[in-house]
Amino acid sequence: MRFAVYCGAHLGADPAYQKAAQELGEWLVAHDYELIYGGSKLGLMGVVADSVLNKGGTAIGIMPKFLSDRERVHPGLTQILTVADLDERKKMMMQEADVCLALPGGVGTLEEISEAYSWMRVGQTHNPCIFFDVKNYYYLLQAFFDQMVKQDFLSQKDRQLVLFSESLFEIDTFIHNYYQNNI
């Protein structure tokens, strides 16, 4: 199984984010899952890739050509794919992945996982979407999704297709239940 992991090119203010990225990488390898991500060696992207590679796992980077110098491509990746732009990267990550997961990150991270969730809701992908909610980083977004349901902009059924959790055990259970019930 392949995980598209969206996360920051920065480490963030709280060391817990870096620790979670490392734990996620180790967890992916322990479950024989592969990492697909933005391809950078910087920030949480670099931490999760290093963690996967240090445990002998597969880490595939997808990087737009114009970002390869700015974000500094991770030199030790199993495979690096160069694409023309961010739209092509997002599309390729979703096509190559079985699961989409967001660690803490900035606007780019939010945009990528939101697009993955939107595509899944309209049937363009079948990837479950997960917010790895380290130290309640995504608490306000989760509340906003719940507000969308209350205001009839999002169905309760579709709201249940996305998970906010800090537990890798709960994330794994969600993925297996998702595939049993939706595919």
Side-chain angles (χ1 to χ4, degrees):
M1 188 175 288
R2 288 182 162 182
F3 275 66
V5 174
Y6 308 107
C7 56
H10 300 279
L11 294 174
D14 193 320
Y17 305 143
Q18 187 173 347
K19 182 178 181 209
Q22 181 179 347
E23 289 173 356
L24 175 64
E26 292 170 358
W27 178 83
L28 290 172
V29 175
H31 287 79
D32 201 28
Y33 300 149
E34 295 181 355
L35 170 67
I36 298 175
Y37 82 115
S40 178
K41 70 177 186 177
L42 301 178
L44 295 183
M45 287 198 284
V47 173
V48 73
D50 286 342
S51 181
V52 165
L53 294 167
N54 289 341
K55 292 290 184 180
T58 298
I60 301 165
I62 302 175
M63 172 115 20
K65 179 139 182 58
F66 80 94
L67 280 180
S68 59
D69 290 332
R70 186 185 325 169
E71 289 194 356
R72 290 176 260 183
V73 175
H74 194 295
L77 296 177
T78 308
Q79 183 178 13
I80 183 73
L81 303 169
T82 303
V83 294
D85 55 35
L86 288 169
D87 286 334
E88 190 176 345
R89 170 161 96 177
K90 289 185 297 183
K91 188 174 184 177
M92 184 177 283
M93 285 179 72
M94 283 187 273
Q95 288 173 340
E96 295 295 321
D98 302 297
V99 175
C100 295
L101 181 143
L103 279 160
V107 174
T109 301
L110 180 59
E111 188 260 339
E112 290 172 323
I113 190 67
S114 294
E115 186 168 325
Y117 178 50
S118 180
W119 283 32
M120 182 264 301
R121 286 186 55 241
V122 297
Q124 294 300 295
T125 69
H126 297 289
N127 303 346
C129 294
I130 299 156
F131 290 86
F132 193 8
D133 198 16
V134 180
K135 294 190 79 174
N136 290 314
Y137 182 78
Y138 287 111
Y139 173 78
L140 294 173
L141 183 62
Q142 181 175 355
F144 185 53
F145 277 33
D146 293 340
Q147 174 71 0
M148 289 178 196
V149 172
K150 288 178 191 169
Q151 296 301 317
D152 292 330
F153 287 107
L154 179 65
S155 72
Q156 183 62 43
K157 179 182 177 190
D158 284 351
R159 171 62 182 87
Q160 292 173 340
L161 296 175
V162 65
L163 176 71
F164 291 81
S165 179
E166 190 172 7
S167 164
L168 290 170
F169 177 79
E170 185 177 10
I171 288 169
D172 198 47
T173 301
F174 176 80
I175 293 164
H176 291 297
N177 288 340
Y178 176 90
Y179 275 109
Q180 282 182 334
N181 297 323
N182 296 296
I183 302 297

PDB file of all heavy atoms in Angstrom, residues 128-145:
ATOM      1  N   PRO A 128      -8.710   6.951   0.923  1.00  0.00           N
ATOM      2  CA  PRO A 128      -9.145   7.555   2.177  1.00  0.00           C
ATOM      3  C   PRO A 128      -8.220   8.726   2.526  1.00  0.00           C
ATOM      4  O   PRO A 128      -7.034   8.699   2.199  1.00  0.00           O
ATOM      5  CB  PRO A 128      -9.031   6.425   3.189  1.00  0.00           C
ATOM      6  CG  PRO A 128      -8.103   5.430   2.589  1.00  0.00           C
ATOM      7  CD  PRO A 128      -8.216   5.589   1.102  1.00  0.00           C
ATOM      8  N   CYS A 129      -8.787   9.739   3.173  1.00  0.00           N
ATOM      9  CA  CYS A 129      -8.026  10.946   3.518  1.00  0.00           C
ATOM     10  C   CYS A 129      -7.972  11.100   5.034  1.00  0.00           C
ATOM     11  O   CYS A 129      -8.990  10.965   5.720  1.00  0.00           O
ATOM     12  CB  CYS A 129      -8.662  12.170   2.882  1.00  0.00           C
ATOM     13  SG  CYS A 129      -8.552  12.149   1.079  1.00  0.00           S
ATOM     14  N   ILE A 130      -6.774  11.393   5.522  1.00  0.00           N
ATOM     15  CA  ILE A 130      -6.526  11.427   6.957  1.00  0.00           C
ATOM     16  C   ILE A 130      -5.714  12.658   7.309  1.00  0.00           C
ATOM     17  O   ILE A 130      -4.724  12.975   6.638  1.00  0.00           O
ATOM     18  CB  ILE A 130      -5.757  10.158   7.385  1.00  0.00           C
ATOM     19  CG1 ILE A 130      -6.598   8.917   7.074  1.00  0.00           C
ATOM     20  CG2 ILE A 130      -5.363  10.226   8.857  1.00  0.00           C
ATOM     21  CD1 ILE A 130      -5.799   7.661   6.900  1.00  0.00           C
ATOM     22  N   PHE A 131      -6.133  13.335   8.378  1.00  0.00           N
ATOM     23  CA  PHE A 131      -5.337  14.401   8.971  1.00  0.00           C
ATOM     24  C   PHE A 131      -4.677  13.818  10.212  1.00  0.00           C
ATOM     25  O   PHE A 131      -5.364  13.460  11.172  1.00  0.00           O
ATOM     26  CB  PHE A 131      -6.231  15.586   9.355  1.00  0.00           C
ATOM     27  CG  PHE A 131      -6.780  16.337   8.180  1.00  0.00           C
ATOM     28  CD1 PHE A 131      -7.952  15.925   7.555  1.00  0.00           C
ATOM     29  CD2 PHE A 131      -6.121  17.448   7.683  1.00  0.00           C
ATOM     30  CE1 PHE A 131      -8.460  16.613   6.465  1.00  0.00           C
ATOM     31  CE2 PHE A 131      -6.624  18.150   6.594  1.00  0.00           C
ATOM     32  CZ  PHE A 131      -7.784  17.733   5.982  1.00  0.00           C
ATOM     33  N   PHE A 132      -3.360  13.666  10.175  1.00  0.00           N
ATOM     34  CA  PHE A 132      -2.601  13.192  11.333  1.00  0.00           C
ATOM     35  C   PHE A 132      -2.534  14.381  12.289  1.00  0.00           C
ATOM     36  O   PHE A 132      -1.701  15.263  12.163  1.00  0.00           O
ATOM     37  CB  PHE A 132      -1.219  12.709  10.903  1.00  0.00           C
ATOM     38  CG  PHE A 132      -0.462  11.928  11.941  1.00  0.00           C
ATOM     39  CD1 PHE A 132      -1.023  11.531  13.134  1.00  0.00           C
ATOM     40  CD2 PHE A 132       0.850  11.574  11.689  1.00  0.00           C
ATOM     41  CE1 PHE A 132      -0.308  10.806  14.070  1.00  0.00           C
ATOM     42  CE2 PHE A 132       1.592  10.841  12.611  1.00  0.00           C
ATOM     43  CZ  PHE A 132       1.007  10.464  13.807  1.00  0.00           C
ATOM     44  N   ASP A 133      -3.454  14.403  13.225  1.00  0.00           N
ATOM     45  CA  ASP A 133      -3.776  15.569  14.044  1.00  0.00           C
ATOM     46  C   ASP A 133      -2.867  15.678  15.267  1.00  0.00           C
ATOM     47  O   ASP A 133      -3.327  15.626  16.415  1.00  0.00           O
ATOM     48  CB  ASP A 133      -5.252  15.491  14.450  1.00  0.00           C
ATOM     49  CG  ASP A 133      -5.795  16.808  14.912  1.00  0.00           C
ATOM     50  OD1 ASP A 133      -5.167  17.847  14.658  1.00  0.00           O
ATOM     51  OD2 ASP A 133      -6.880  16.804  15.544  1.00  0.00           O
ATOM     52  N   VAL A 134      -1.597  15.883  15.027  1.00  0.00           N
ATOM     53  CA  VAL A 134      -0.589  15.948  16.086  1.00  0.00           C
ATOM     54  C   VAL A 134      -0.870  17.140  16.996  1.00  0.00           C
ATOM     55  O   VAL A 134      -0.954  18.285  16.530  1.00  0.00           O
ATOM     56  CB  VAL A 134       0.827  16.059  15.479  1.00  0.00           C
ATOM     57  CG1 VAL A 134       1.879  16.124  16.579  1.00  0.00           C
ATOM     58  CG2 VAL A 134       1.079  14.909  14.513  1.00  0.00           C
ATOM     59  N   LYS A 135      -1.052  16.857  18.271  1.00  0.00           N
ATOM     60  CA  LYS A 135      -1.307  17.886  19.285  1.00  0.00           C
ATOM     61  C   LYS A 135      -2.458  18.819  18.875  1.00  0.00           C
ATOM     62  O   LYS A 135      -2.396  20.020  19.079  1.00  0.00           O
ATOM     63  CB  LYS A 135      -0.037  18.670  19.601  1.00  0.00           C
ATOM     64  CG  LYS A 135       1.014  17.786  20.285  1.00  0.00           C
ATOM     65  CD  LYS A 135       2.160  18.587  20.806  1.00  0.00           C
ATOM     66  CE  LYS A 135       1.738  19.223  22.117  1.00  0.00           C
ATOM     67  NZ  LYS A 135       2.848  19.924  22.771  1.00  0.00           N
ATOM     68  N   ASN A 136      -3.488  18.224  18.284  1.00  0.00           N
ATOM     69  CA  ASN A 136      -4.690  18.955  17.854  1.00  0.00           C
ATOM     70  C   ASN A 136      -4.394  20.065  16.857  1.00  0.00           C
ATOM     71  O   ASN A 136      -5.110  21.069  16.804  1.00  0.00           O
ATOM     72  CB  ASN A 136      -5.439  19.518  19.068  1.00  0.00           C
ATOM     73  CG  ASN A 136      -6.083  18.431  19.883  1.00  0.00           C
ATOM     74  OD1 ASN A 136      -6.721  17.530  19.336  1.00  0.00           O
ATOM     75  ND2 ASN A 136      -5.888  18.481  21.186  1.00  0.00           N
ATOM     76  N   TYR A 137      -3.376  19.874  16.042  1.00  0.00           N
ATOM     77  CA  TYR A 137      -3.012  20.879  15.040  1.00  0.00           C
ATOM     78  C   TYR A 137      -4.194  21.210  14.126  1.00  0.00           C
ATOM     79  O   TYR A 137      -4.402  22.367  13.762  1.00  0.00           O
ATOM     80  CB  TYR A 137      -1.820  20.388  14.209  1.00  0.00           C
ATOM     81  CG  TYR A 137      -1.360  21.388  13.180  1.00  0.00           C
ATOM     82  CD1 TYR A 137      -0.591  22.475  13.550  1.00  0.00           C
ATOM     83  CD2 TYR A 137      -1.717  21.254  11.843  1.00  0.00           C
ATOM     84  CE1 TYR A 137      -0.180  23.413  12.609  1.00  0.00           C
ATOM     85  CE2 TYR A 137      -1.312  22.178  10.899  1.00  0.00           C
ATOM     86  CZ  TYR A 137      -0.542  23.257  11.283  1.00  0.00           C
ATOM     87  OH  TYR A 137      -0.148  24.183  10.360  1.00  0.00           O
ATOM     88  N   TYR A 138      -4.962  20.208  13.765  1.00  0.00           N
ATOM     89  CA  TYR A 138      -6.079  20.397  12.842  1.00  0.00           C
ATOM     90  C   TYR A 138      -7.430  20.542  13.550  1.00  0.00           C
ATOM     91  O   TYR A 138      -8.471  20.401  12.924  1.00  0.00           O
ATOM     92  CB  TYR A 138      -6.130  19.245  11.840  1.00  0.00           C
ATOM     93  CG  TYR A 138      -5.028  19.295  10.806  1.00  0.00           C
ATOM     94  CD1 TYR A 138      -4.000  18.356  10.795  1.00  0.00           C
ATOM     95  CD2 TYR A 138      -5.017  20.289   9.831  1.00  0.00           C
ATOM     96  CE1 TYR A 138      -2.997  18.411   9.843  1.00  0.00           C
ATOM     97  CE2 TYR A 138      -4.015  20.346   8.876  1.00  0.00           C
ATOM     98  CZ  TYR A 138      -3.016  19.400   8.882  1.00  0.00           C
ATOM     99  OH  TYR A 138      -2.021  19.458   7.939  1.00  0.00           O
ATOM    100  N   TYR A 139      -7.431  20.842  14.823  1.00  0.00           N
ATOM    101  CA  TYR A 139      -8.671  20.938  15.591  1.00  0.00           C
ATOM    102  C   TYR A 139      -9.657  21.934  14.973  1.00  0.00           C
ATOM    103  O   TYR A 139     -10.841  21.649  14.835  1.00  0.00           O
ATOM    104  CB  TYR A 139      -8.372  21.321  17.046  1.00  0.00           C
ATOM    105  CG  TYR A 139      -9.618  21.606  17.834  1.00  0.00           C
ATOM    106  CD1 TYR A 139     -10.409  20.565  18.310  1.00  0.00           C
ATOM    107  CD2 TYR A 139     -10.039  22.911  18.078  1.00  0.00           C
ATOM    108  CE1 TYR A 139     -11.581  20.817  19.017  1.00  0.00           C
ATOM    109  CE2 TYR A 139     -11.201  23.175  18.778  1.00  0.00           C
ATOM    110  CZ  TYR A 139     -11.963  22.121  19.249  1.00  0.00           C
ATOM    111  OH  TYR A 139     -13.125  22.367  19.925  1.00  0.00           O
ATOM    112  N   LEU A 140      -9.177  23.115  14.619  1.00  0.00           N
ATOM    113  CA  LEU A 140     -10.074  24.130  14.060  1.00  0.00           C
ATOM    114  C   LEU A 140     -10.629  23.711  12.700  1.00  0.00           C
ATOM    115  O   LEU A 140     -11.784  24.004  12.379  1.00  0.00           O
ATOM    116  CB  LEU A 140      -9.367  25.485  13.961  1.00  0.00           C
ATOM    117  CG  LEU A 140      -9.005  26.127  15.296  1.00  0.00           C
ATOM    118  CD1 LEU A 140      -8.169  27.384  15.072  1.00  0.00           C
ATOM    119  CD2 LEU A 140     -10.249  26.436  16.110  1.00  0.00           C
ATOM    120  N   LEU A 141      -9.828  23.012  11.915  1.00  0.00           N
ATOM    121  CA  LEU A 141     -10.313  22.524  10.624  1.00  0.00           C
ATOM    122  C   LEU A 141     -11.376  21.440  10.835  1.00  0.00           C
ATOM    123  O   LEU A 141     -12.394  21.422  10.135  1.00  0.00           O
ATOM    124  CB  LEU A 141      -9.158  21.984   9.780  1.00  0.00           C
ATOM    125  CG  LEU A 141      -9.534  21.504   8.389  1.00  0.00           C
ATOM    126  CD1 LEU A 141     -10.103  22.643   7.546  1.00  0.00           C
ATOM    127  CD2 LEU A 141      -8.306  20.896   7.706  1.00  0.00           C
ATOM    128  N   GLN A 142     -11.153  20.569  11.790  1.00  0.00           N
ATOM    129  CA  GLN A 142     -12.143  19.547  12.101  1.00  0.00           C
ATOM    130  C   GLN A 142     -13.456  20.208  12.526  1.00  0.00           C
ATOM    131  O   GLN A 142     -14.538  19.801  12.075  1.00  0.00           O
ATOM    132  CB  GLN A 142     -11.628  18.624  13.209  1.00  0.00           C
ATOM    133  CG  GLN A 142     -12.584  17.516  13.566  1.00  0.00           C
ATOM    134  CD  GLN A 142     -12.005  16.552  14.576  1.00  0.00           C
ATOM    135  OE1 GLN A 142     -10.852  16.632  14.965  1.00  0.00           O
ATOM    136  NE2 GLN A 142     -12.816  15.618  15.001  1.00  0.00           N
ATOM    137  N   ALA A 143     -13.375  21.222  13.359  1.00  0.00           N
ATOM    138  CA  ALA A 143     -14.583  21.942  13.770  1.00  0.00           C
ATOM    139  C   ALA A 143     -15.259  22.604  12.565  1.00  0.00           C
ATOM    140  O   ALA A 143     -16.498  22.641  12.475  1.00  0.00           O
ATOM    141  CB  ALA A 143     -14.229  22.989  14.829  1.00  0.00           C
ATOM    142  N   PHE A 144     -14.454  23.101  11.628  1.00  0.00           N
ATOM    143  CA  PHE A 144     -15.023  23.721  10.435  1.00  0.00           C
ATOM    144  C   PHE A 144     -15.735  22.678   9.571  1.00  0.00           C
ATOM    145  O   PHE A 144     -16.821  22.942   9.043  1.00  0.00           O
ATOM    146  CB  PHE A 144     -13.930  24.451   9.650  1.00  0.00           C
ATOM    147  CG  PHE A 144     -14.438  25.220   8.475  1.00  0.00           C
ATOM    148  CD1 PHE A 144     -15.459  26.153   8.602  1.00  0.00           C
ATOM    149  CD2 PHE A 144     -13.898  25.019   7.219  1.00  0.00           C
ATOM    150  CE1 PHE A 144     -15.932  26.867   7.514  1.00  0.00           C
ATOM    151  CE2 PHE A 144     -14.358  25.731   6.119  1.00  0.00           C
ATOM    152  CZ  PHE A 144     -15.382  26.649   6.272  1.00  0.00           C
ATOM    153  N   PHE A 145     -15.159  21.488   9.431  1.00  0.00           N
ATOM    154  CA  PHE A 145     -15.834  20.427   8.692  1.00  0.00           C
ATOM    155  C   PHE A 145     -17.170  20.089   9.358  1.00  0.00           C
ATOM    156  O   PHE A 145     -18.177  19.884   8.684  1.00  0.00           O
ATOM    157  CB  PHE A 145     -14.955  19.175   8.612  1.00  0.00           C
ATOM    158  CG  PHE A 145     -13.925  19.197   7.516  1.00  0.00           C
ATOM    159  CD1 PHE A 145     -13.316  20.363   7.100  1.00  0.00           C
ATOM    160  CD2 PHE A 145     -13.538  18.020   6.905  1.00  0.00           C
ATOM    161  CE1 PHE A 145     -12.364  20.371   6.100  1.00  0.00           C
ATOM    162  CE2 PHE A 145     -12.589  18.014   5.894  1.00  0.00           C
ATOM    163  CZ  PHE A 145     -11.999  19.193   5.492  1.00  0.00           C
TER     164      PHE A 145
END
